[in-house]
Amino acid sequence: MKKIIALLITGALMAVVSPVALAANLDFTGKLESGLDYNLGTTDNWNGTSRLELGASLGDTLKGGVSIVGLEQAFGGNWFNDNGYDRVPVVPPAQNTEATNKIGIDGLWLQSEGSFWANGPEFTTRMGNLDVKYSPLIATVSDPGVSVGAEFGSVNVGLFQAWNETNPAEFNPGHGINANVSPVEGVTVGGTYVKVNNEQSYALEAEVNPVEPLTVEANFAKTVNAGSAMQVGGNYQLTQNVSVNGSYRNFETDFNPIWRDTTVSTDIKNDAEGNPVLDNYGEKGFKVGATAQLAGFTVEGGYDNYTQQIGDIENRELIASVAREFDLAGNKITAKLSTTYEMETSDWEEMDANLKYTAPNGLSMEVNHDFEAEETTAKAGFNMNF
């Protein structure tokens, strides 16, 4: 039913926008991604993915967009969308009305830039599926709702009201507010408060650049009557080619806010990365490292000492990598060797060789060999913006 309603809304929007597009200067934009993965040594060697996003803008004040749910297929196998639902038609079709719908609407939204009254301050107002990114720890919201944001000199404020889709049968409402301020040059502090499904969470963050080569960041978040998470880190540029860094983290095992960032990007081996809660879940410890540019090579090394609080498991890891971009017959190729050594068990957890190349026609290609798993993975794809 939700998809039928979404499609009807899309049709209605197209019916309304079409004559406007002819009468006014309506610009359309979009993004299309398509790729292939190959994994040597697995049962389903081939896999394909695709995603489409469409948008439109009327000048600089009004914008709208729709995204099509991503599809994934192991060649010769079943189609899956981003939520993991099997999309292969079954017999008889009446037993599974969802099965024949291989394309679905992932989000619809309209956004305006302007004041609510004459000569008033400018606000960014969005209705539909939101794009709230107040805090990756407690407030990254794409559910349907309304959001408003504004900038007043060195102060940025925002608030939203949304309907959480964790349980579609209930559509529980929730709201949040965020403020960031730069009181002096080199200092930014902010705070976020969120309440949804009777769960209250708050987050505090700060970034300080006391001197030119030093940057320090701190983040703390807490869910009332549940766990907390904190992360403090700094980076110091010793010379033009050498920098050192260090950090401390403590993510309690019962810290799992409803509106935390749940997006997960994966590397070529399909390992999750880039999500602060998932990457550090249950971990307590510190990390130190250094990065150097030497003779065209990027060399990184580090030591990670932490306890996985689930099971009280101690970990001491040495991490190292060497990468270089080089030119081969006018083509730029990036090569990288990386490894992770677990000192507690005296095991090489990871040892990889990776090659990346983007062809003149826009095709991006990547090949990775995992020496520990004795597995080779390759992927290729196109990204098109219009």
Side-chain angles (χ1 to χ4, degrees):
M1 179 60 71
K2 287 168 57 182
K3 293 180 175 61
I4 294 175
I5 294 174
L7 290 172
L8 289 175
I9 294 174
T10 306
L13 286 174
M14 292 299 294
V16 172
V17 168
S18 296
V20 176
L22 296 175
N25 186 20
L26 187 63
D27 297 320
F28 289 93
T29 59
K31 182 178 181 180
L32 176 62
E33 299 177 350
S34 185
L36 297 175
D37 301 336
Y38 178 78
N39 193 314
L40 183 64
T42 64
T43 304
D44 297 323
N45 298 96
W46 289 97
N47 191 60
T49 60
S50 63
R51 187 173 186 86
L52 173 65
E53 296 181 4
L54 300 174
S57 61
L58 184 58
D60 296 326
T61 59
L62 185 62
K63 299 178 181 179
V66 57
S67 57
I68 308 301
V69 71
L71 298 176
E72 188 170 332
Q73 181 192 38
F75 284 6
N78 298 339
W79 279 99
F80 294 87
N81 73 0
D82 285 343
N83 295 320
Y85 296 123
D86 191 341
R87 294 293 185 178
V88 168
V90 297
V91 179
Q95 294 181 0
N96 187 353
T97 56
E98 295 275 350
T100 58
N101 180 18
K102 291 186 178 181
I103 296 180
I105 301 297
D106 196 23
L108 283 168
W109 55 270
L110 287 172
Q111 179 173 303
S112 71
E113 305 278 349
S115 61
F116 287 108
W117 58 87
N119 303 318
E122 186 173 281
F123 292 85
T124 299
T125 306
R126 180 166 172 140
M127 296 184 180
N129 287 84
L130 302 182
D131 188 29
V132 169
K133 296 178 180 179
Y134 295 163
S135 165
L137 299 179
I138 68 168
T140 301
V141 185
S142 60
D143 290 327
V146 180
S147 65
V148 179
E151 181 178 333
F152 303 98
S154 62
V155 179
N156 290 279
V157 295
L159 55 89
F160 71 90
Q161 172 79 21
W163 283 263
N164 176 245
E165 295 185 285
T166 303
N167 184 349
E170 297 180 7
F171 282 99
N172 294 302
H175 54 267
I177 186 169
N178 167 268
N180 290 279
V181 60
S182 298
V184 296
E185 184 177 355
V187 177
T188 302
V189 294
T192 301
Y193 170 80
V194 168
K195 181 179 181 181
V196 57
N197 294 15
N198 297 318
E199 176 190 275
Q200 299 183 70
S201 301
Y202 61 89
L204 302 172
E205 58 188 35
E207 181 177 329
V208 181
N209 187 209
V211 291
E212 184 64 30
L214 175 63
T215 301
V216 179
E217 296 182 0
N219 295 277
F220 175 79
K222 168 72 175 173
T223 298
V224 178
N225 299 323
S228 64
M230 70 170 297
Q231 195 167 27
V232 181
N235 186 83
Y236 189 83
Q237 195 74 35
L238 288 174
T239 68
Q240 183 177 357
N241 297 322
V242 180
S243 65
V244 293
N245 58 79
S247 64
Y248 172 82
R249 64 195 184 276
N250 183 7
F251 283 68
E252 296 180 353
T253 57
D254 55 346
F255 178 78
N256 188 27
I258 292 173
W259 268 331
R260 69 170 178 80
D261 187 3
T262 57
T263 59
V264 178
S265 59
T266 57
D267 59 17
I268 190 171
K269 298 195 300 180
N270 207 35
D271 292 334
E273 59 181 4
N275 186 296
V277 177
L278 292 179
D279 290 351
N280 302 293
Y281 182 71
E283 295 181 359
K284 179 181 181 181
F286 67 91
K287 181 187 296 185
V288 293
T291 302
Q293 304 292 331
L294 303 172
F297 290 88
T298 299
V299 182
E300 296 180 314
Y303 172 68
D304 194 1
N305 187 321
Y306 67 95
T307 300
Q308 175 50 257
Q309 298 174 77
I310 301 177
D312 195 29
I313 302 173
E314 297 289 335
N315 295 272
R316 293 184 298 134
E317 298 175 349
L318 292 175
I319 306 165
S321 68
V322 179
R324 181 169 184 175
E325 183 179 280
F326 58 94
D327 201 82
L328 182 63
N331 300 302
K332 289 186 177 181
I333 298 174
T334 301
K336 183 176 182 178
L337 291 173
S338 58
T339 184
T340 300
Y341 179 75
E342 173 54 60
M343 300 175 66
E344 289 287 336
T345 59
S346 300
D347 288 332
W348 292 97
E349 286 193 347
E350 178 183 285
M351 189 177 294
D352 287 49
N354 185 278
L355 285 174
K356 292 182 181 179
Y357 168 65
T358 300
N361 65 356
L363 178 67
S364 60
M365 293 175 281
E366 182 177 1
V367 178
N368 190 88
H369 181 72
D370 187 332
F371 292 96
E372 287 300 300
E374 298 183 351
E375 188 173 89
T376 300
T377 307
K379 67 188 301 183
F382 282 106
N383 291 331
M384 181 178 68
N385 294 285
F386 55 89

